[in-house]
Amino acid sequence: MIRHIVLFTVPKHEDLDAVLDGLSILTGIPAATRLEIATNMKADRFDDGIDVVVYGEFEDEAALAAYHAHPLYQTSIDRVKPLRGRRFAADYVVEDAVREASSPSPTKSET
């Protein structure tokens, strides 16, 4: 499974609802097994610069590619891009993700 996370800034607060509406178009694309669009709670004490989060789950790379190729994806871009600021995206394979702390490497005196 692939997780797809996109973070947006929205420079003008009055454009936030329009950005959310434009991103909500993405929920009509059937390639995702899960797709969520949300405003950032801004609870992190170190950075509150991100305004909107898109979170998606896809069965495989082919499903993610189908999502990007769908006509609704371009429709969403056309509506959102003029209103958003920065965009950050990350995709990763869930099965390859680190899920627990690794053992520390032994020091030279322990080997």
Side-chain angles (χ1 to χ4, degrees):
M1 179 173 63
I2 295 174
R3 288 200 174 126
H4 174 68
I5 303 166
V6 185
L7 309 171
F8 296 93
T9 64
V10 181
K12 296 181 183 175
H13 183 73
E14 62 269 18
D15 291 336
L16 184 60
D17 286 340
V19 168
L20 292 169
D21 287 344
L23 291 171
S24 72
I25 292 168
L26 299 172
T27 63
I29 302 174
T33 55
R34 179 181 195 142
L35 192 71
E36 301 171 354
I37 293 102
T39 55
N40 183 12
M41 292 172 42
K42 299 189 177 190
D44 186 275
R45 64 186 177 131
F46 298 110
D47 185 11
D48 67 354
I50 300 301
D51 296 301
V52 178
V53 178
V54 175
Y55 172 84
E57 294 179 355
F58 298 85
E59 287 298 321
D60 51 30
E61 289 183 57
L64 181 59
Y67 169 78
H68 286 129
H70 196 283
L72 288 177
Y73 187 81
Q74 187 61 49
T75 301
S76 177
I77 289 172
D78 293 344
R79 286 190 48 191
V80 172
K81 192 171 184 178
L83 303 174
R84 69 161 172 86
R86 306 239 7 231
R87 178 187 180 274
F88 304 90
D91 302 298
Y92 67 94
V93 176
V94 172
E95 294 79 13
D96 295 341
V98 175
R99 294 175 187 243
E100 59 185 54
S102 59
S103 301
S105 300
T107 63
K108 287 184 181 183
S109 64
E110 295 176 310
T111 57

